[in-house]
Amino acid sequence: MVDRDENARHSRFGTVLMLALILKAEESFAGDAAGLAAVAPGIFPNPVVAEAVRLAAIKLSNPACREVFSDFYDAAGHTLQQNLDLLERSGIGYLQWTLFYEGYGKSVCDSRKILASTTPGSRVVFVCTPQFAVVQHRDPGLAAVLIIHEELHSLGLGENPPQSRVITAQVIARCGK
């Protein structure tokens, strides 16, 4: 009987400890790049994507880079910065709020040309890990740019128009590679 009570107490302690860690992590992500660089909530446990998101957050800590949210509009004619303001989030804060899921095996990742995908207005981004990992390995700065590109779509930016390459070029122009 003592063993079962001891195990139950250890189990409850583990649960409480895990909740405390989660709450502490959420506190530390008040939207600053330093917090996001340490751990990024919403990222599936994939170091390739986590590193790209970390680098994207560093890019978004630069005011010139943040201007990219004013460069594009959603279907209703609002700038993406206006959408961020409505949500009371910064670009980094929204990035931490974004949910990254494995897209490999989903139809969206059937094309080797697709590295990540989201629907305008959705906080969920599907990452096609095999092809994304190649870019992350060869050019980590470009992988970070692609994360910001997907964040723009998540905030409501459609595609075609503007073309994907135009969006990426504008992110590079504002945020560097």
Side-chain angles (χ1 to χ4, degrees), residues 53-143:
V53 172
R54 186 186 73 78
L55 291 174
I58 290 169
K59 288 181 180 301
L60 288 171
S61 68
N62 181 332
C65 180
R66 291 192 300 267
E67 288 296 315
V68 77
F69 297 111
S70 296
D71 292 337
F72 295 104
Y73 296 83
D74 65 12
H78 304 111
T79 68
L80 304 182
Q81 182 60 56
Q82 288 173 313
N83 292 348
L84 282 172
D85 294 344
L86 187 65
L87 293 168
E88 298 180 350
R89 298 233 173 226
S90 65
I92 295 171
Y94 189 85
L95 183 62
Q96 82 167 55
W97 201 39
T98 303
L99 304 170
F100 294 89
Y101 289 103
E102 177 59 68
Y104 181 72
K106 297 188 179 308
S107 61
V108 70
C109 293
D110 285 348
S111 169
R112 299 290 292 164
K113 294 178 183 178
I114 305 293
L115 304 178
S117 181
T118 190
T119 303
S122 171
R123 287 179 38 220
V124 174
V125 174
F126 290 100
V127 179
C128 307
T129 304
Q131 44 273 45
F132 190 87
V134 170
V135 171
Q136 171 65 15
H137 178 71
R138 287 186 185 158
D139 191 345
L142 178 58

